[in-house]
Amino acid sequence: MTRVDSMAFALQDADLLRARGAALDFDPHMHGTYSVVVVMSGSAHIRSSRWTGTVRAGDVFFFNPFEVHAGRSAAGSAEYHVLYPSEAFLDGCTGAVGPDEVRTLQTDVLARNRATQELTDALAAPVIDDTAIEGALRRVLRECRFVVESPTATSRSITRTVCELIKQDCLSSTRTDDLARTIGVNPSHLVRSFRQTIGIPPQTYLRQVRVSRAQELICAGFGLSDVAQMARFSDQPHLTREFKKVFGVPPGTLSRVVCRA
């Protein structure tokens, strides 16, 4: 069960959302952007669809957009900052990718070094300097390994195909049976394959893609009732429940920050 002691957001600009929190556990979830997590104190065991390991204070670790991950602190709450840079932000660090290309982050964890220490210090400063944080983040990302592929060259597995279908049409009422019929497999085989590879069932993945869309809409300044409708949640309480599964706090925590910006 997700157990978060605290969580606060800061919207630096449209291309960089930040969060500061302390948590004991996070159930499997994902975000629609890259996630750069800086461990400020404590340690945690992290598992994702791409890597598994233990992180400690001073480490910086990474997830790709829509990479399902979970975490559990080793002893007491782990304190951390998360930075969610957009694709445009990454373009400025690694160079732009073509419209028919996919950029995948290969690095899982960077242990404490000069670049990670600069980012940690910038985030821990008594007076936040957005420029210093952005510069330090760019230097950290330049130490990471990325692979750029054409979709035609990537694996066309059942799971990848379903993920693409969901992301392309996340606002439709897509049933698992419909997804299975579209790609020509048995629904039970689809669910089993998807869960083994991604870590959550297809319908949970769909709801979390909608949460990612809701996050974008909140950051764009839309009210929560409108966001719930635009992201195809049944109502605002439904949006709140699903948002808390991903972030550990209700969407109003983010919305209030955007309203003050």
Side-chain angles (χ1 to χ4, degrees):
M1 182 179 70
T2 295
R3 294 182 294 169
V4 175
D5 289 337
S6 64
M7 176 68 73
F9 294 98
L11 186 60
Q12 185 161 324
D13 57 43
D15 290 323
L16 185 58
L17 174 67
R18 301 198 313 269
R20 181 184 72 253
L24 291 166
D25 296 281
F26 260 110
D27 283 345
H29 66 286
M30 65 186 186
H31 304 284
T33 63
Y34 298 91
S35 301
V36 180
V37 188
V38 183
V39 185
M40 306 300 286
S41 68
S43 61
H45 183 70
I46 307 297
R47 69 181 190 278
S48 83
S49 53
R50 186 172 58 90
W51 65 276
T52 299
T54 299
V55 294
R56 299 171 177 81
D59 291 344
V60 178
F61 59 98
F62 309 87
F63 302 114
N64 285 295
F66 305 106
E67 180 180 340
V68 175
H69 54 280
R72 171 170 293 182
S73 63
S77 291
E79 297 183 353
Y80 57 92
H81 286 255
V82 190
L83 300 101
Y84 303 101
S86 68
E87 290 283 354
F89 191 98
L90 264 291
D91 287 347
C93 299
T94 67
V97 299
D100 296 325
E101 294 178 321
V102 176
R103 173 173 42 209
T104 303
L105 179 61
Q106 299 290 301
T107 303
D108 47 16
V109 181
L110 286 179
R112 186 193 298 268
N113 62 24
R114 181 175 179 178
T116 63
Q117 188 63 54
E118 286 181 1
L119 181 56
T120 300
D121 291 345
L123 291 167
V127 178
I128 293 297
D129 183 339
D130 290 343
T131 301
I133 292 173
E134 181 175 326
L137 175 59
R138 291 185 186 278
R139 287 186 285 277
V140 165
L141 289 171
R142 290 185 184 119
E143 293 203 2
C144 296
R145 180 172 179 266
F146 292 86
V147 172
V148 177
E149 301 173 298
S150 167
T152 57
T154 58
S155 169
R156 298 296 298 182
S157 66
I158 289 173
T159 298
R160 183 182 293 273
T161 301
V162 172
C163 287
E164 291 175 356
L165 288 171
I166 290 174
K167 284 184 280 188
Q168 289 168 6
D169 200 19
C170 70
L171 299 185
S172 297
S173 298
T174 306
R175 298 167 57 246
T176 300
D177 287 355
D178 296 334
L179 289 168
R181 189 178 304 112
T182 298
I183 63 176
V185 298
N186 182 278
S188 60
H189 176 64
L190 167 59
V191 172
R192 183 169 58 254
S193 175
F194 198 94
R195 190 160 197 163
Q196 287 175 346
T197 305
I198 300 298
I200 55 178
Q203 291 302 311
T204 303
Y205 187 91
L206 170 62
R207 289 193 296 273
Q208 294 199 3
V209 171
R210 288 178 177 169
V211 169
S212 295
R213 176 59 178 154
Q215 175 195 324
E216 294 175 0
L217 293 168
I218 293 170
C219 289
F222 290 94
L224 294 182
S225 59
D226 291 332
V227 169
Q229 183 176 16
M230 295 166 72
R232 292 296 181 90
F233 290 98
S234 57
D235 51 26
Q236 190 173 324
H238 185 202
L239 165 63
T240 297
R241 289 194 300 274
E242 297 301 328
F243 195 94
K244 287 180 70 174
K245 291 176 184 178
V246 174
F247 290 100
V249 294
T253 307
L254 174 58
S255 181
R256 287 190 291 273
V257 170
V258 174
C259 290
R260 291 197 299 266

